[in-house]
Amino acid sequence: MKFLITAILAGLALNAAAAQELGNGKAEYMNSCAVCHGPEGKGDGPLGDQLLKRPSDLTRLSRRNGGEFPYWRVFAVIDGRGMVPAHGGRDMPVWGRQFLPGDVKKYGPNAGEIVTRERIHDLAGYVETLQQ
């Protein structure tokens, strides 16, 4: 029994260390985005075929923007709370609204908003690293 508990604790420690090594942006991406956009951001996630519109290939955002990564546009799309509905439909979740309730519950209203924005910054920064 002691061996089993030790093995479980060691596994948890390795998982925590691996998540830390991934960085917050990559870990958040893998948890929230990879299922649609794929682990490498190419739009080939396992749910992609089930969606009406194929997820974007996130590795080509800079190329489509004259070689410059459109950081604030990516941030705004991920957050989604500031998007204007008249500019067309939205196929992906509004992650700002998805993250905020849990962050507010855990950190309080002001700090929850800060944590939510930081999570979105981490995601946008990670997407930037996917550029080819």
Side-chain angles (χ1 to χ4, degrees), residues 58-132:
L58 301 176
T59 67
R60 298 173 182 231
L61 298 174
S62 291
R63 185 180 306 160
R64 288 188 223 136
N65 194 50
E68 187 175 326
F69 183 71
Y71 183 89
W72 289 107
R73 188 172 61 203
V74 170
F75 180 93
V77 169
I78 294 169
D79 185 319
R81 293 178 291 172
M83 302 299 282
V84 180
H87 290 166
R90 183 175 172 88
D91 297 317
M92 66 179 261
V94 177
W95 289 109
R97 284 194 207 120
Q98 296 285 331
F99 294 156
L100 188 61
D103 292 341
V104 165
K105 185 176 181 181
K106 188 171 184 178
Y107 301 105
N110 293 330
E113 176 63 35
I114 292 168
V115 170
T116 293
R117 286 186 187 189
E118 186 62 29
R119 290 173 75 179
I120 296 166
H121 277 295
D122 289 344
L123 272 169
Y126 180 70
V127 171
E128 186 172 13
T129 71
L130 298 174
Q131 301 311 293
Q132 295 180 352

Side-chain angles (χ1 to χ4, degrees), residues 10 19 40-42 57 65 80 82 124 131:
E40 296 176 9
K42 295 185 181 206
D57 180 343
N65 194 50
Q131 301 311 293

